Amino acid sequence: MSERSESTTGRAAAPKVTAESEVAEICRDLIRIDTSNYGDGSGPGERKAAEYVAEQLAEFGLEPQIFESAKGRASTVVRIEGEDRSRPGLLIHGHTDVVPANAADWTYDPFAGEIADGCVWGRGAVDMKDMDAMTLAVVRDRLRTGRKPPRDLVLAFLADEEAGGTYGARFLVDKHPGLFEGVTEAIGEVGGFSFTVNDRARLYLIETAEKGMHWMRLTVEGRAGHGSMENDDNAITELCEAVARLGRHQFPLRITKTVRAFLDELSDALGVELDPENMDETLRVLGGIAKMIGTTLRNTAQPTMLGAGYKVNVIPGQATAHVDGRFLPGYEEEFLAELDSVLGPRVKRESVHSDRAIETSFDGALVEAMQTALRAEDPIARAVPYCLSGGTDAKSFQDLGIRCFGFAPLQLPPELDFAGMFHGVDERVPVDGLKFGVRVLDRFIDAC
């Protein structure tokens, strides 16, 4: 043996790079790119994140495209050829923008991407740079090892989801629909996370439905005047009374097809019959995810902003408010009629942004692939459908006839308030959860 060979063998071999070994680092890198979306175009935009994603993919020979819908508002898309190109393609989509964060409220700087206490901390850790990182890590590993997917994959890392997707998914669907030619199914965010029922059953919630949205502006016109004088036509008074009625109003219970299926699965896992008319007890059983499930039982309308006046001694002639309205699949007309009834005739309602509710059935080969991949990594896994109280870019992709699911697999510790992480303070994702996710996602791609 030569001296050179002895020297080489005497050194420790470099650790093998795998999806599991690099997923937390990729997640951290993405978090460190501030992509705060304020909804008014004042944020830094997603361009740096789009370029980072493109570099990660180009390193292994792909040719990703960056689409900029407005200055800084960029999305990255790439197609990966599958073994059987005659089969319909699968879309894996995620967004790179995040809601803003105030560093003073956090344990760690929300844009530092700290890895501590077994978690990656930062804004976007669960919404949704975790799934972006898992997708990148899995695809990079498959390219590194020469493993083609069974069918074409289209990867889309999107701008502007947190403000309705106008500059991201909606822009691509309207202006570049050819990117998604032949795609019939998709997976995206807010699904595939675990809820531990007991030591015999762990449910993984797959999003098959989303509430629709009506973000709206409410306006009341009144009689302007001096603040020292009586005024029986005060716009602020009229508006505040209407907003208070709406804020305290409870819409009626409506059990949709998806929610009924979720309750049936939960009843079976618990071994008890859950009464949909007694949802207080059902929500108690759900613990931390009750806040996600509870808001899918009714339409909701939450006042979020108020505006009026310009001087303390002047009664303004106009007052405005903004409301975040969400309606269940099949209940849009009922929602709007009830909303107007609660507000009353003096309130003018205008749409700021609206999007439909969506729902698909929980069946088919793609669902079976999810269940198979989860079970392979967690023997007590059980995939179940649920309805998301918010909305995702799936709303845009459904316009292309794409059947959409929320499937960003994570196995979570039972004590973690996962629902509270979304848009919350100290958002974080367990590193072990990310590693579990890449294993499941890799198996899912093989099986789909």
Side-chain angles (χ1 to χ4, degrees):
M1 182 180 290
S2 70
E3 183 176 337
R4 179 180 177 85
S5 297
E6 288 174 352
S7 174
T8 300
T9 56
R11 292 196 300 267
K16 181 182 178 182
V17 178
T18 65
E20 286 188 65
S21 70
E22 70 173 2
V23 64
E25 182 179 348
I26 294 173
C27 187
R28 181 192 64 189
D29 289 348
L30 286 167
I31 289 170
R32 287 177 173 176
I33 303 171
D34 184 355
T35 50
S36 297
N37 187 347
Y38 294 88
D40 60 3
S42 63
E46 301 87 353
R47 179 81 200 193
K48 288 184 179 179
E51 291 173 350
Y52 172 86
V53 167
E55 289 168 4
Q56 296 298 306
L57 297 170
E59 184 178 340
F60 293 94
L62 296 180
E63 297 181 357
Q65 296 175 272
I66 295 178
F67 297 87
E68 193 167 80
S69 55
K71 185 174 176 55
R73 312 308 305 275
S75 301
T76 303
V77 182
V78 69
R79 183 180 288 258
I80 302 172
E81 291 188 5
E83 293 282 0
D84 184 356
R85 304 211 68 199
S86 68
R87 293 183 59 196
L90 173 72
L91 169 66
I92 302 178
H93 63 93
H95 62 87
T96 59
D97 65 319
V98 298
V99 296
N102 180 10
D105 298 332
W106 288 57
T107 302
Y108 300 102
D109 187 304
F111 298 105
E114 293 287 348
I115 299 179
D117 301 323
C119 293
V120 184
W121 297 63
R123 178 57 86 216
V126 301
D127 188 14
M128 64 169 296
K129 290 179 176 179
D130 57 342
M131 179 57 171
D132 295 335
M134 290 191 292
T135 301
L136 285 171
V138 167
V139 168
R140 282 167 56 86
D141 191 65
R142 296 181 72 93
L143 293 169
R144 186 186 295 118
T145 55
R147 293 181 295 136
K148 269 191 170 186
R151 55 168 161 164
D152 279 13
L153 297 182
V154 176
L155 311 182
F157 299 84
L158 303 158
D160 198 39
E161 190 275 345
E162 296 293 0
T166 301
Y167 295 101
R170 176 52 55 192
F171 170 78
L172 294 179
V173 166
D174 290 345
K175 303 296 184 182
H176 302 281
L179 293 169
F180 311 102
E181 184 178 355
V183 172
T184 58
E185 297 169 308
I187 60 169
E189 64 175 323
V190 204
F193 57 91
S194 67
F195 167 60
T196 301
V197 177
N198 49 47
D199 59 3
R200 302 179 306 279
R202 194 164 15 248
L203 306 185
Y204 286 83
L205 279 65
I206 311 300
E207 188 233 289
T208 59
E210 296 181 3
K211 292 176 85 171
M213 67 173 68
H214 278 288
W215 293 344
M216 62 197 83
R217 180 187 300 107
L218 309 181
T219 305
V220 170
E221 304 287 345
R223 187 173 68 250
H226 200 287
S228 66
M229 298 182 182
E230 292 187 358
N231 188 323
D232 61 2
D233 190 23
N234 188 313
I236 293 178
T237 302
E238 185 72 33
L239 179 71
C240 286
E241 288 175 346
V243 168
R245 287 195 302 273
L246 184 62
R248 296 190 181 99
H249 180 70
Q250 186 174 69
F251 289 81
L253 186 72
R254 296 287 183 257
I255 305 299
T256 62
K257 176 179 65 176
T258 295
V259 172
R260 177 72 270 176
F262 170 77
L263 293 175
D264 288 345
E265 292 280 2
L266 182 60
S267 295
D268 188 63
L270 291 170
V272 297
E273 187 67 31
L274 296 175
D275 181 5
E277 300 302 322
N278 181 15
M279 290 309 300
D280 288 341
E281 177 62 21
T282 298
L283 294 177
R284 185 191 64 77
V285 170
L286 293 176
I289 66 167
K291 64 188 74 173
M292 296 183 76
I293 302 302
T295 52
T296 66
L297 304 174
R298 293 178 168 87
N299 298 325
T300 60
Q302 294 293 344
T304 54
M305 297 170 64
L306 286 169
Y310 54 90
K311 197 170 187 291
V312 69
N313 63 344
V314 177
I315 298 172
Q318 184 184 87
T320 63
H322 285 75
V323 172
D324 184 346
R326 309 282 176 147
F327 58 91
L328 293 164
Y331 290 95
E332 182 175 10
E333 290 185 8
E334 177 183 283
F335 168 70
L336 292 175
E338 189 166 354
L339 183 73
D340 288 337
S341 176
V342 172
L343 291 173
R346 286 289 306 277
V347 180
K348 177 184 177 183
R349 175 172 58 81
E350 301 172 275
S351 177
V352 174
H353 180 83
S354 63
D355 219 330
R356 63 182 176 177
I358 61 175
E359 188 169 33
T360 189
S361 56
F362 189 62
D363 55 19
L366 203 70
V367 170
E368 292 175 8
M370 294 175 196
Q371 180 68 76
T372 299
L374 287 166
R375 276 277 174 85
E377 295 296 333
D378 181 3
I380 62 171
R382 183 171 182 171
V384 300
Y386 90 106
C387 177
L388 178 66
S389 60
T392 74
D393 286 325
K395 294 181 186 299
S396 294
F397 293 121
Q398 181 140 321
D399 285 353
L400 297 177
I402 298 173
R403 189 181 182 207
C404 297
F405 297 87
F407 185 64
L410 289 172
Q411 188 180 103
L412 302 167
E415 66 276 9
L416 182 69
D417 181 12
F418 183 65
M421 297 290 103
F422 287 85
H423 298 188
V425 172
D426 284 345
E427 185 180 348
R428 60 196 181 276
V429 62
V431 173
D432 286 345
L434 291 172
K435 292 180 178 180
F436 172 86
V438 296
R439 295 196 301 270
V440 172
L441 194 57
D442 192 42
R443 289 181 181 275
F444 167 75
I445 289 172
D446 277 339
C448 74

